[in-house]
Amino acid sequence: MIEKRRRMAARCGERSSSAVNRDSQTFQSSREAMYAAGEPLLERAQASGDARPDLAFSDLLQLVIGVASSTHADERQRERVLAVALDGVGAAR
């Protein structure tokens, strides 16, 4: 059973890494638009003390990708994981 899961995970990893063409114009323009919209929002949240000052927008994207792509036992677990992740983004008070 464990070996079967490893093979499936390896295949999914291969598909996901090969499915994204990071050199494509669509990927590049989408990335630029996301950063253009997201970085100012994060900067304002940091300036107001609502977000950690050491958080980079790329860190936040990795966090979102991790939470969105992970599997959860149920919706309640998904909500808890998201809450923990968002708590980590917030500035210490």
Side-chain angles (χ1 to χ4, degrees):
M1 184 66 136
I2 293 173
E3 185 57 35
K4 181 179 178 182
R5 287 184 183 167
R6 285 184 186 149
R7 285 194 309 268
M8 287 175 59
R11 282 196 304 267
C12 289
E14 289 169 10
R15 266 187 270 152
S16 65
S17 64
S18 64
V20 176
N21 179 358
R22 295 179 187 278
D23 296 325
S24 75
Q25 182 59 39
T26 301
F27 180 88
Q28 292 298 322
S29 62
S30 297
R31 183 181 187 281
E32 289 170 12
M34 189 169 33
Y35 272 79
E39 282 181 320
L41 292 173
L42 178 58
E43 289 169 4
R44 286 198 300 266
Q46 289 169 322
S48 68
D50 290 321
R52 295 172 55 128
D54 62 341
L55 183 66
F57 187 67
S58 60
D59 299 334
L60 188 56
L61 286 179
Q62 289 301 310
L63 179 68
V64 169
I65 290 166
V67 170
S69 64
S70 63
T71 57
H72 301 90
D74 55 35
E75 193 59 32
R76 288 179 26 200
Q77 184 183 41
R78 180 184 311 277
E79 293 297 322
R80 282 193 310 275
V81 169
L82 179 59
V84 168
L86 292 177
D87 285 347
V89 170
R93 297 202 186 252

